[in-house]
Amino acid sequence: MSEFWIYFQIGLRHVLDIHAYDHVLFLIALAVPYSFNDWKRILLLVTVFTLGHTMALFLSVYGIVAIKVNVVELLIPITILITALFNLFTAGKSSKKESINLVFFITLFFGIIHGLGFSNYFKTILGGTANSKLLPLCEFALGIEAAQIAVVFVVLVLSYIVQTVFRFSKRDWTLVMSSFIIGVVLPMIVESEFWLR
């Protein structure tokens, strides 16, 4: 049982690490257009993201997929930028519900990219033989899922407060937060080590 908590906590810390805030930024961008009324949809999106993340770790840990670190470190902020831009262009439009299949597919793909970004570190944590990697991977995924749900819950609470107490419209909240995220992510893309090689 203690081994479960080790990998579960590593998953929690992976998402909630203050120095690696890209994961939280993506979750904010993903959750900002939604409210508590959409809890099933946002929970499904978070789970799809976790599945993509776990799939990438699985493929990497078993040596099926390998990708250069500097490429992934560029792609991660690009996924955040795309999500925030999508929010800007669809804020306040009813087509959000109709495009949910596309959003699920893109979220899964972005989860794969984010998972690849963590794969080298996760491989060093695991060590051991291939047979002993599947259970820790699932325990780690549960930690990630729990942390992501916590982040999304905080975003939904903030969204509720801003929209009810401060009378922001849902559209304005989405536009402001997405613009903020774009402002944070653009320097990450520009300053990426990818451009130095």
Side-chain angles (χ1 to χ4, degrees):
M1 192 66 168
S2 62
E3 193 171 294
F4 168 81
W5 284 111
I6 290 168
Y7 290 108
F8 184 84
Q9 286 177 355
I10 292 170
L12 283 174
R13 285 195 301 267
H14 168 59
V15 174
L16 302 175
D17 183 1
I18 194 81
H19 302 294
Y21 54 88
D22 55 346
H23 204 126
V24 172
L25 271 181
F26 179 79
L27 291 169
I28 294 169
L30 192 67
V32 148
Y34 299 102
S35 65
F36 279 112
N37 293 338
D38 307 308
W39 70 269
K40 287 181 185 174
R41 186 176 294 117
I42 189 65
L43 183 61
L44 200 52
L45 282 172
V46 167
T47 303
V48 165
F49 184 76
T50 304
L51 286 173
H53 196 280
T54 306
M55 193 186 321
L57 287 176
F58 177 85
L59 294 173
S60 177
V61 162
Y62 285 95
I64 299 166
V65 170
I67 189 166
K68 290 183 178 179
V69 174
N70 65 336
V71 173
V72 176
E73 287 179 359
L74 173 67
L75 289 176
I76 288 173
I78 288 174
T79 64
I80 301 166
L81 177 66
I82 290 169
T83 306
L85 285 172
F86 178 78
N87 292 344
L88 282 182
F89 290 111
T90 59
K93 295 182 181 173
S94 60
S95 62
K96 217 171 230 334
K97 291 179 182 174
E98 297 164 9
S99 64
I100 199 70
N101 289 338
L102 176 66
V103 173
F104 281 130
F105 176 76
I106 291 170
T107 303
L108 178 70
F109 180 68
F110 287 177
I112 292 169
I113 292 171
H114 283 248
L116 289 171
F118 192 67
S119 60
N120 286 337
Y121 177 70
F122 191 71
K123 279 193 270 190
T124 60
I125 292 170
L126 281 180
T129 62
N131 294 336
S132 67
K133 294 177 182 175
L134 191 56
L135 189 58
L137 187 59
C138 293
E139 294 162 347
F140 175 76
L142 287 172
I144 284 183
E145 182 77 353
Q148 290 183 157
I149 289 170
V151 170
V152 166
F153 180 75
V154 169
V155 172
L156 292 177
V157 167
L158 285 174
S159 176
Y160 178 79
I161 291 168
V162 166
Q163 290 177 52
T164 54
V165 176
F166 298 104
R167 302 289 184 201
F168 264 61
S169 70
K170 189 175 184 178
R171 178 183 173 276
D172 289 347
W173 167 248
T174 303
L175 291 173
V176 168
M177 288 304 295
S178 297
S179 300
F180 169 77
I181 291 165
I182 290 168
V184 173
V185 156
L186 281 177
M188 291 169 70
I189 295 169
V190 172
E191 296 164 10
S192 171
E193 289 184 19
F194 177 82
W195 309 114
L196 303 176
R197 298 182 184 196

